Amino acid sequence: MNNQPHLPSCSTSNWMDVRRQRTSGVLDSAVAEGLTGFEVVARNGKQLTLLDGTTCTEFVSCSYLGLENHPALVLAAQVALERFGVHLSASRGAMSPVYLRQLEQLLGDIYGGCSVTVFSSTSNAHLGVLPLLGSGGMDGYPTREGGVMWLVDRTAHASMQVLRGVLAQFGTVRRVDVADSDGLDEVLACCDRERLSPVLLIDGVGSMSGLLPVAELAQRLQRYNGFLYVDDAHGISITGRYGAGYAFENLGHRLPGNTLVAGSLSKAFGGAGGFIVLKPGANAGQLRALANPLVFGHSIPLPLQAANVAAAQIHLSSEIQPLQQALWHNVRRLDERVGQEMMNAGLRAPIRGVLFDNERQGTLAASALRASGLVVFPVFYPIVESGKAMLRCALSAAHSAEQVDELARKLNLQLSRTPGQR
């Protein structure tokens, strides 16, 4: 469940070759059977109408608070569409709509006065920030004379894993297991001896795994003059004051000087895009001048920028806490009603999963749920180990108690019929 590209064991291959060799035809079959990759023609809350005319309840969307349907976001997008059209096609260095400045100011309020810069996606935030950090020239984030060593946690998201070749231009890249405390200490001590600044890349809330101790890791890296870079895309909005997210909450709502947090506007936040949170007073102008996606890429489409502003205003209002509470009520409800322990059971993470020993078992279970009017996300290699399968279920504040109960009943039925599942 590493959710990352699998690297080759020999120098004559590359991870894409290995992925092609290990990928079976099960995903194509699942798409052909309508278990995943289906086309949606209409939506009413969590009820979807599909291209074939059938309706179903979805547990797939990563909009964990249901904000994308909020009237304030819809109205903001409509107004922006009428004022500007679909897009202001230029990099932000050339021109940008007023929404972008407003959004960054509001996000700064959410993050207690930190410096926040918006990107078109979380992946582009990684691509823009990490090379600058690794170069040793990022204002306020100095590296040691030996340069950096990149430490990529084995559960870090694929959007960071895939950058290993880029990161290698700025220092050695090593894969680590944060859960192996002794092993991590050994690598950090090696960095110290070689006068290197370790840069540890982790997820806050894993898309296919649990939670990492962000504050503890930040303190640990500080002792070695290192940096912690957290992709908290799945943790944004679902917890924390003003919906600041899991990582910022774990840090006590204060950002240490050696920690950078990347977030998503496209999941629980309700809009689209990504952002980076830097310490207060950080030089955001340097990012706009040097980060490749900001220099050469386009901004978030205008209606969605306006929707992001409306979403940020909701985060700073009294509305956000009841939505968070509704999400966690649904998560607890599913945990209590499914007879066997699922992935992330008991954790404050909005994703649950059932792992199957082989692809056929997972496909049959997904098919049975689909026939009963429920859709989940069946995942296979490279998202899980080769030959295995998982049914990934995303919970939302927008799900009704009856919908959660129905999912629990159908999962229990499949678990009782399938030997060897977990």
Side-chain angles (χ1 to χ4, degrees), residues 111 114-116 141 248 255 259-262 275-279:
Y111 288 96
C114 289
S115 174
V116 181
Y141 296 86
F248 201 67
L255 192 70
T259 303
L260 304 83
V261 176
F275 60 92
I276 188 74
V277 184
L278 305 179
K279 58 190 174 184

Side-chain angles (χ1 to χ4, degrees), residues 335-396:
D335 283 348
E336 291 167 358
R337 284 161 174 74
V338 174
Q340 298 187 35
E341 186 171 304
M342 296 186 293
M343 177 196 77
N344 286 345
L347 297 181
R348 283 177 67 83
I351 300 166
R352 293 294 182 266
V354 180
L355 184 65
F356 293 85
D357 280 345
N358 60 68
E359 294 171 340
R360 176 170 171 75
Q361 289 177 349
T363 300
L364 289 174
S367 181
L369 263 64
R370 175 72 179 84
S372 67
L374 301 174
V375 290
V376 297
F377 187 19
V379 294
F380 313 98
Y381 177 85
I383 299 177
V384 296
E385 184 180 343
S386 180
K388 297 188 182 298
M390 175 179 282
L391 298 189
R392 180 181 181 273
C393 310
L395 279 297
S396 170

Side-chain angles (χ1 to χ4, degrees), residues 187-237:
V187 175
L188 292 174
C190 174
C191 289
D192 195 45
R193 289 192 300 271
E194 298 182 14
R195 310 294 292 173
L196 296 167
S197 293
V199 182
L200 177 60
L201 277 54
I202 65 169
D203 281 5
V205 176
S207 61
M208 294 296 296
S209 56
L211 312 175
L212 289 186
V214 176
E216 176 188 321
L217 290 170
Q219 293 172 2
R220 204 164 177 181
L221 268 293
Q222 185 68 60
R223 294 196 294 269
Y224 290 92
N225 299 294
F227 299 98
L228 180 66
Y229 186 93
V230 188
D231 179 339
D232 201 34
H234 287 275
I236 300 303
S237 305

Side-chain angles (χ1 to χ4, degrees), residues 16-216:
M16 188 57 76
D17 287 339
V18 175
R19 180 178 293 185
R20 280 196 297 265
Q21 293 162 8
R22 293 184 181 176
T23 299
S24 72
V26 65
L27 180 57
D28 290 339
S29 297
V31 171
E33 294 175 28
L35 306 182
T36 191
F38 40 78
E39 294 185 49
V40 180
V41 298
R43 176 176 64 174
N44 180 16
K46 304 306 286 186
Q47 288 287 321
L48 305 180
T49 301
L50 305 183
L51 187 62
D52 63 4
T54 61
T55 60
C56 57
T57 302
E58 61 93 356
F59 289 87
V60 179
S61 170
C62 293
S63 180
Y64 305 122
L65 299 183
L67 276 173
E68 79 277 23
N69 285 321
H70 194 286
L73 273 70
V74 174
L75 178 60
Q78 290 172 340
V79 170
L81 191 62
E82 292 170 357
R83 289 179 62 189
F84 292 98
V86 174
H87 199 21
L88 195 65
S89 183
S91 67
R92 67 179 294 169
M95 61 177 173
S96 62
V98 66
Y99 303 122
L100 191 55
R101 175 179 53 82
Q102 293 173 350
L103 176 59
E104 289 178 342
Q105 290 175 345
L106 289 166
L107 288 171
D109 292 340
I110 290 172
Y111 288 96
C114 289
S115 174
V116 181
T117 301
V118 169
F119 288 76
S120 58
S121 68
T122 310
S123 296
N124 273 340
H126 303 334
L127 184 59
V129 175
L130 290 174
L132 183 58
L133 178 63
S135 73
M138 188 169 179
D139 291 349
Y141 296 86
T143 56
R144 300 180 75 181
E145 58 269 29
V148 304
M149 179 182 287
W150 304 101
L151 309 178
V152 185
D153 181 54
R154 68 177 186 84
T155 66
H157 193 265
S159 59
M160 293 187 289
Q161 300 279 355
V162 77
L163 294 180
R164 292 181 195 178
V166 174
L167 300 180
Q169 299 175 46
F170 303 94
T172 302
V173 183
R174 292 190 60 169
R175 186 175 184 240
V176 298
D177 184 354
V178 166
D180 178 6
S181 183
D182 292 340
L184 181 59
D185 275 340
E186 183 179 334
V187 175
L188 292 174
C190 174
C191 289
D192 195 45
R193 289 192 300 271
E194 298 182 14
R195 310 294 292 173
L196 296 167
S197 293
V199 182
L200 177 60
L201 277 54
I202 65 169
D203 281 5
V205 176
S207 61
M208 294 296 296
S209 56
L211 312 175
L212 289 186
V214 176
E216 176 188 321

Side-chain angles (χ1 to χ4, degrees), residues 284-298:
Q286 186 186 41
L287 276 181
R288 293 193 292 271
L290 297 176
N292 250 33
L294 298 185
V295 176
F296 299 105
H298 288 196

